[in-house]
Amino acid sequence: MLHCRDCGQLEACGGFHVYVIELSPAVLRDEKFHPDRAGLSSAPRCFYVGQTKHHPACRYKQHRRKRSGKHFVCECFGAAKKVEVTGYNRGNRYVRDYGFKGGLRPEFYLEMNPLQSRAESETLERNLATKLIREGFAVHWN
């Protein structure tokens, strides 16, 4: 599955990426999932939008790792490397707890990747999340 025009199957191209992960509708019962947003219970689909320097499939694995895991294996910059989990790369609990297996949805982001800078990817992350919200979806993003 393609996630970027320039990335390999699992190897990152060196640019930044935005990505979208579909979440189970059960996330809407979680009071901390945007509790200030009225009408979320009727959203047709739920998503998490993020940005990363990693290959989107690698970042997805980081999100989905077991909560007790202190490391994850990154293969997107060459040889497999064991990486310690930090506050920066630990992953999002909504993706871990409510993300679908194979939940990446490149139809929402493929044509946008790769991006040249973190600032550009952060702006696009916000814009993509806002667009999906306007379309009636329940969306969490950072």
Side-chain angles (χ1 to χ4, degrees), residues 83-130:
V83 178
E84 184 177 353
V85 173
T86 67
Y88 176 74
N89 66 11
R90 73 175 176 264
N92 180 273
R93 76 176 190 91
Y94 298 121
V95 176
R96 183 180 52 248
D97 296 344
Y98 301 103
F100 288 122
K101 183 175 182 179
L104 282 164
R105 298 294 177 250
E107 63 269 23
F108 292 108
Y109 61 82
L110 174 61
E111 294 302 317
M112 301 172 188
N113 291 329
L115 302 159
Q116 298 303 312
S117 68
R118 180 167 305 281
E120 184 182 11
S121 67
E122 289 172 348
T123 298
L124 191 54
E125 173 190 22
R126 180 180 56 249
N127 292 346
L128 180 55
T130 301

Side-chain angles (χ1 to χ4, degrees), residues 3 26 55 74 118:
H3 300 282
H55 188 286
C74 173
R118 180 167 305 281

